[in-house]
Amino acid sequence: MEYRQLGRSGLMVSTLSLGTMTFGGKGKFVKTGDTDLEGARRQVGMALDAGINLFDTADVYSNGASEEILGQALKGKRDAVILATKARFRMGDAPNDAGLSRYHLIRAAEASLKRLGTDHVDLYQLHQWDGLTPLDETLEAVDRLVRDGKVRYAGVSNFSAWHLMKAMGVAAMEKFIAPISQQIHYSLEARDAEYELIPATLDQKLGVLVWSPLAGGLLSGKYRRDQAAPEGTRQLANWGEPPIRDENRLYDIIDVLVRIAADRGVSAAQIALAWLIGRRGVTSVIVGARTDAQLADNLKAAEVILTPEERADLDHVSQLPLIYPYWHQAMTASDRLSEADLSLIAPHLNS
């Protein structure tokens, strides 16, 4: 397992991390999995044996059950891991039981600590943007949590690039603890983050944690063109996350994944994960699994090193077009582009 620096911090995290949305299986989260405590202990043990040191959860996952189960599964191991959780979504029926207000964030953090059975969270992430709460209020609350010793580092998740940069600006201006990372949706099927979020990451020296790297299982190799989906899996027509706007493109990507995987004698999922691990700006790819077998397969991706030819094939089949203003920058400003700019534009300059 390789370890990488998480943004500007001195924190080193494994290139694969364990996501625990499958822990608990309550409410709408039963669709993702229903791993109980016994199963969680097995999966945590598998992850630790593979060298994973970052474990990610959120208060909203199964309405707190994921945090509770993860906390119990980590008993006796807590000091050996980086523990990350998130807050923003609704956790009750009262008007202030959601959002990024000082009121909700501090209460949410204290509730998460209790469920996790720990006195601090290593990485506390703002789970989604809140356009109603002033950012200075949100960041002051995070700053207070860090200075009180309840949180070690702060991050964001699912912010747009301007949200992210506004947060960085307010933190600098007010001398608050600034985010060191962003957790984003990113995969071969969904490369939208490359337009602005990845360049912002490179420019600001942030860490990137990737969620849903297999597009909710679509890139596992189980879904093939003109074939019925395997029994027990979600149907493409009812997917929703990520939204599939071009099925032909999706299946073109899967065809290349399956071909490379067959040549390698590994799973398509391992190839998709290895592609992400090797992308610029990516620090750690979050894997989660309904079953131990799925997790064992995903963990092997840390050992897969793609050849330049394999990576080029995957890049080509999944490449998104340049949208404005990037096509214009490629045409007129290529002589004065930064490394962050070129992370998006460079592949298009010679095409």
Side-chain angles (χ1 to χ4, degrees):
M1 183 68 67
E2 180 188 351
Y3 299 88
R4 296 175 178 172
Q5 189 173 351
L6 187 61
R8 302 177 313 281
S9 78
L11 207 58
M12 302 297 292
V13 299
S14 47
T15 53
L16 288 177
S17 45
L18 185 66
T20 63
M21 186 186 288
T22 58
F23 290 8
K26 292 186 177 180
K28 65 180 181 181
F29 290 95
V30 72
K31 296 178 181 179
T32 65
D34 57 354
T35 304
D36 60 14
L37 178 56
E38 181 181 355
R41 283 175 172 150
R42 285 196 310 272
Q43 292 196 2
V44 165
M46 292 169 64
L48 289 170
D49 288 345
I52 283 178
N53 72 343
L54 175 59
F55 294 80
D56 181 76
T57 186
D59 58 2
V60 75
Y61 296 166
S62 289
N63 198 33
S66 173
E67 288 184 324
E68 291 175 355
I69 291 173
L70 178 59
Q72 293 179 61
L74 285 173
K75 278 187 177 178
K77 309 176 183 71
R78 170 66 185 92
D79 292 340
V81 306
I82 305 301
L83 183 56
T85 193
K86 303 181 281 292
R88 158 38 175 106
F89 291 111
R90 182 161 295 281
M91 292 296 289
D93 296 328
N96 292 305
D97 287 343
L100 297 179
S101 68
R102 180 186 297 108
Y103 176 91
H104 179 67
L105 265 186
I106 291 176
R107 284 165 56 96
E110 291 172 345
S112 287
L113 292 176
K114 185 175 181 179
R115 285 189 292 266
L116 288 162
T118 186
D119 64 353
H120 73 278
V121 169
D122 298 300
L123 179 62
Y124 198 53
Q125 301 158 104
L126 308 178
H127 204 167
Q128 177 56 277
W129 176 249
D130 176 356
L132 299 182
T133 303
L135 263 173
D136 56 349
E137 176 181 340
T138 298
L139 294 175
E140 188 277 333
V142 172
D143 191 84
R144 179 182 301 185
L145 289 167
V146 173
R147 299 187 189 283
D148 286 348
K150 296 175 181 178
V151 167
R152 296 289 188 261
Y153 299 91
V156 301
S157 181
N158 302 313
F159 277 32
S160 68
W162 77 264
H163 296 153
L164 173 66
M165 293 308 298
K166 185 175 181 180
M168 298 297 291
V170 170
M173 183 171 60
E174 301 293 342
K175 294 182 170 53
F176 292 145
I177 299 294
I180 63 166
S181 63
Q182 55 172 333
Q183 188 174 142
I184 63 174
H185 184 254
Y186 188 20
S187 73
L188 270 165
E189 195 287 325
R191 294 177 59 179
D192 313 67
E194 294 178 10
Y195 286 126
E196 293 202 344
L197 292 176
I198 294 298
T201 286
L202 296 170
D203 181 73
Q204 296 296 304
K205 296 181 172 56
L206 297 174
V208 166
L209 309 178
V210 175
W211 65 267
S212 198
L214 298 178
L218 289 176
L219 302 178
S220 65
K222 297 177 181 177
Y223 295 83
R224 302 301 305 278
R225 196 190 312 265
D226 300 324
Q227 294 181 17
E231 189 174 345
T233 58
R234 289 173 281 182
Q235 295 296 314
L236 184 60
N238 299 320
W239 210 263
E241 193 177 278
I244 304 302
R245 300 183 177 92
D246 186 340
E247 285 192 26
N248 285 328
R249 174 179 174 274
L250 168 65
Y251 287 120
D252 288 343
I253 294 169
I254 292 172
D255 288 344
V256 176
L257 273 177
V258 170
R259 172 177 60 77
I260 294 174
D263 291 344
R264 285 293 198 99
V266 301
S267 70
Q270 290 179 39
I271 299 299
L273 294 171
W275 179 84
L276 269 174
I277 291 172
R279 295 299 290 175
R280 293 188 62 197
V282 171
T283 311
S284 186
V285 177
I286 301 171
V287 296
R290 291 170 175 260
T291 67
D292 294 355
Q294 288 176 348
L295 179 59
D297 183 76
N298 289 347
L299 292 174
K300 293 177 183 177
E303 305 168 8
V304 177
I305 306 297
L306 297 176
T307 67
E309 294 76 20
E310 291 168 337
R311 190 165 284 282
D313 285 349
L314 292 167
D315 290 349
H316 177 73
V317 74
S318 62
Q319 187 71 60
L320 293 177
L322 286 184
I323 59 175
Y324 179 81
Y326 308 114
W327 59 260
H328 197 272
Q329 292 170 3
M331 293 173 62
T332 65
S334 61
D335 60 328
R336 296 182 65 87
L337 295 178
S338 70
E339 183 180 359
D341 297 316
L342 290 170
S343 68
L344 170 68
I345 294 174
H348 296 269
L349 293 179
N350 299 318
S351 60

